[in-house]
Amino acid sequence: MPDPRFFPSGPALPLSEVARRLGVAPVRDPAALICGVAALGSAGPQEITYLEQARHLPDLASCAAGACLVSPALRARAAAQVGPQGPQLLVVADPKAAFMALTAVLHPEPRIPAGRDASALVAASARIDPTASIGPGAVLGAEVTVGARSVIGAHAVLGPGVQIGADCHVHPHATVSHAVLGDRVTLHSHATIGRAGFGFHPGAAGLTRVAQLGRVILHDDVEIGAQSCVDRGTLGDTVIGRGTKIDNLVQIGHNCQIGAQCVIVAQCGLAGSVVLEDGVLLGGQVGVADHRTIGRGARIAAKSGVTRDVPAQETQSGIPARPITLFFRAVARDLRLGRAGKP
Amino acid sequence: MPDPRFFPSGPALPLSEVARRLGVAPVRDPAALICGVAALGSAGPQEITYLEQARHLPDLASCAAGACLVSPALRARAAAQVGPQGPQLLVVADPKAAFMALTAVLHPEPRIPAGRDASALVAASARIDPTASIGPGAVLGAEVTVGARSVIGAHAVLGPGVQIGADCHVHPHATVSHAVLGDRVTLHSHATIGRAGFGFHPGAAGLTRVAQLGRVILHDDVEIGAQSCVDRGTLGDTVIGRGTKIDNLVQIGHNCQIGAQCVIVAQCGLAGSVVLEDGVLLGGQVGVADHRTIGRGARIAAKSGVTRDVPAQETQSGIPARPITLFFRAVARDLRLGRAGKP
Amino acid sequence: MPDPRFFPSGPALPLSEVARRLGVAPVRDPAALICGVAALGSAGPQEITYLEQARHLPDLASCAAGACLVSPALRARAAAQVGPQGPQLLVVADPKAAFMALTAVLHPEPRIPAGRDASALVAASARIDPTASIGPGAVLGAEVTVGARSVIGAHAVLGPGVQIGADCHVHPHATVSHAVLGDRVTLHSHATIGRAGFGFHPGAAGLTRVAQLGRVILHDDVEIGAQSCVDRGTLGDTVIGRGTKIDNLVQIGHNCQIGAQCVIVAQCGLAGSVVLEDGVLLGGQVGVADHRTIGRGARIAAKSGVTRDVPAQETQSGIPARPITLFFRAVARDLRLGRAGKP
């Protein structure tokens, strides 16, 4: 059961109501009360859990949950595991999605009240929707706009002209400048959006900073992790497409063009002017050299270094990155020769 | 044209005045007004652009800019591309430098007014130049000094005794302690300067922190990126030399001695007591083991791991780093054997 | 001598008193005053230093320190180096530990006064020990608890329900939510503890965030570096064991279980549900794939990528990580063939 200090419980629901919400068949004991969600191994009689994979089937025998969501494919084998006092099974097409839907009901996210904290520093010309929430110490510059129901966390700093859409969540300490955010964008703590990128021109007196006159555009449903940086464009914009999710400690250089529904795992670094087409997946700690394009749906294994364009749908690995079969062959050869004691 | 919400325009200039400022010959239509800068592909009739490389010559044919800066070497080929209504060409020795100079005139950086925000918390013993700017919520400890025209951003925290020179820019949320900064130093958001480094001594009760009694010295014109960390020295100082530029998410361990005019790209990590001589270039995500020296002018390819000293002027790559020719040979062999299907 | 602007000196001690505190034999000139600590190469007559390794013995000849701590093993060779006006030698079993103990006396850490800054924003229901210190602009949510003598730095943000034990130090700008901290825990600047981890479920409308209902548990004596992130668990907790030290810019994914007395160097990344048993050492920039276990006392070389479970006590290196002998053999072969000009 989630710690109630951090996750206040919502209403308890009879199992019949749970079943009704999921649109599934009634259950053995429809009056049984469900108060929360929990993992298969730790759930108690007033909690509901779900069976994610067949390899967890044996755990069902000792599962003390009040109910368990299972897929049609695993229903029969699950039923064979569960004892007479075991969890009641609810069969749904996508147990994880159903579990997530119930989580939202049983453990609703705390509502952050609308309005601005007295300690926030909001420019007179900022336009804040009355349903938005502005946290303690937040600093909003001239002409900033914040849309309906958006939450600006404690000490967040939004520079002049920044636009925040509706239902966004800017966590504490994020800093945003020269940026336009769509709706439902999440910025985690300490994210830095809109910094002047790393561009210098060599001259007689050393390196001189190249002015960065572009913006950052974050489309709807983008998420940017804690400590991640998205630098603004030089003359054009740095763009992150709809629904793309970026983890913690990621660097996105100036002028990058990231497509929709990409996933970028923690500590990746994209140099300037990189293009990711839609649906690209980058594993953790990947690096991509400047001006490279990674095609639609390509997947790059963790820790790879991309130095050439990657064709759509291809999976690559290695430094430099190459088709993953070639990577595995090289590793296999290294290990085989090494084990044979051949230097 | 830069978004005027973020980059207010300066004065419009007749092209004759632009030419005069660059010290170049007069032009076809000296009265044409120039209001801003833009990239070759997007510039309009009231904007000036520049031709960076010969491979962009074909783009000149459709370029709608009012004027374009070109190098003497490309002048003739550029003129052949431009139509009678095309951009007027201004021939300058370094088009990019000229473009940067015009940018500073046409899009001057917004002046941040001097003075301290009422919400800043400044110790009575701090000595702040009257021309400096102290942002909202900034915290300045005892005996801090801030030089002329320096800008301390919102919520920046300067610990006791920190010295900031003239014309520095400390962006919002940077934290600085035990540090002395020269002039024209830039710290981006969330930079952490002067943290006690990662030093522990094993004992009966586990690891004990080793006191870190040194400082961080940042010389003139140093730039430190967002989320980057420079740990202070143990008994001596951690030093970053004049004009060195450090990108985002970089870790500089305690006691490092970084020379002048180095460039350290995002996500590099330098362990303790590393020495970089002047003019070293580290590509992104490079790691350098403790106590290693990288000689003057050496270049380390992205994602390399430096485990031995690197001679001056050498280019290395790989984990462990080696002369780049050896790295490329190993990669070529891996790829050749892999494509031949040899495991 | 440490810069007195940053490290105020404590009392000067006669060398007899220094010797008494270390429980060692009296010295040549017991009345000599010792005012501070310094490195062997820079110490002056009123400072004490220590000899760390035999390779520094030659430096003793020119050492101007008033006194030097040496181990019994090096005593005779040290005495042979030191001239008649050279440093007085104090023989102790662990010179570095003795040096650390003297450092704490001669350069005591500045006491941060108890109490809360007037600009801190503390919820009425928070329970703050009267000996704790709450810095300027710190934000403490409902039901937060802070133990005796703990220091909460400027602008730190502690979300609702967060528990902080005794003698903790939360540096400026750290953000903490959904977390329970033991005693003597240190969080450096900009650390992000308790973020909702990177979990998404694919659906018709793209990726949907999976609610993260777990916590972060940091046991006694844990240290988390600047800019490091520890994501909270999904249904269970993310746990960091007693005495584990984590450097800057490290990512710890949701549900990780880190044992006691581990050391994790800067820029490492642990994906979700990684297990580190006690005493594991990860060099800088290591990555560990999700659900992997690294056995007790294992050591992973910098920049490695762990893709399989690692047995206890084993040392591994490489991407993917393998026993270090195999790694070195592969590197040696690459270099040998490369130098021979064989592609």
Side-chain angles (χ1 to χ4, degrees), chain A residues 203-249:
Chain A
L207 296 165
T208 306
R209 174 161 270 294
V210 176
Q212 305 285 318
L213 302 173
R215 306 172 299 177
V216 170
I217 310 293
L218 304 181
H219 284 285
D220 295 347
D221 301 298
V222 162
E223 178 157 343
I224 308 284
Q227 329 285 0
S228 288
C229 304
V230 183
D231 290 348
R232 69 179 186 258
T234 305
L235 289 170
D237 295 324
T238 303
V239 179
I240 315 277
R242 184 176 191 126
T244 284
K245 311 298 185 189
I246 297 180
D247 202 352
N248 297 337
L249 292 158

Side-chain angles (χ1 to χ4, degrees), chain A residues 72-87:
Chain A
L74 295 178
R75 158 196 232 156
R77 293 165 68 192
Q81 290 285 341
V82 174
Q85 304 304 319

Side-chain angles (χ1 to χ4, degrees), chain A residues 137 163 190 209 285 329, chain B residues 5 155 190 223 227 303 338:
Chain A
Q163 264 189 278
H190 305 106
R209 174 161 270 294
Q285 301 183 333
R329 279 182 191 156
Chain B
R5 287 176 297 183
H155 297 317
H190 304 107
E223 178 157 344
Q227 331 285 359
K303 285 191 105 59

Side-chain angles (χ1 to χ4, degrees), chain A residues 104-198:
Chain A
V105 174
L106 293 166
H107 305 284
E109 282 203 45
R111 284 293 303 154
I112 296 171
R116 72 179 72 168
D117 190 275
S119 65
L121 296 150
V122 180
S125 59
R127 295 182 300 283
I128 314 297
D129 190 279
T131 61
S133 167
I134 312 297
V139 178
L140 281 68
E143 308 286 345
V144 163
T145 64
V146 178
R149 296 169 304 279
S150 284
V151 173
I152 309 299
H155 296 317
V157 176
L158 310 183
V162 162
Q163 264 189 278
I164 309 280
D167 298 300
C168 291
H169 196 155
V170 176
H171 284 264
H173 286 271
T175 61
V176 188
S177 70
H178 311 88
V180 176
L181 279 64
D183 297 334
R184 297 173 304 281
V185 171
T186 299
L187 306 181
H188 285 279
S189 288
H190 305 106
T192 300
I193 309 298
R195 184 191 80 117
F198 198 64

Side-chain angles (χ1 to χ4, degrees), chain A residues 54-68:
Chain A
R55 65 185 167 92
H56 298 124
L57 275 165
D59 301 335
L60 268 180
S62 58
C63 177
C68 180

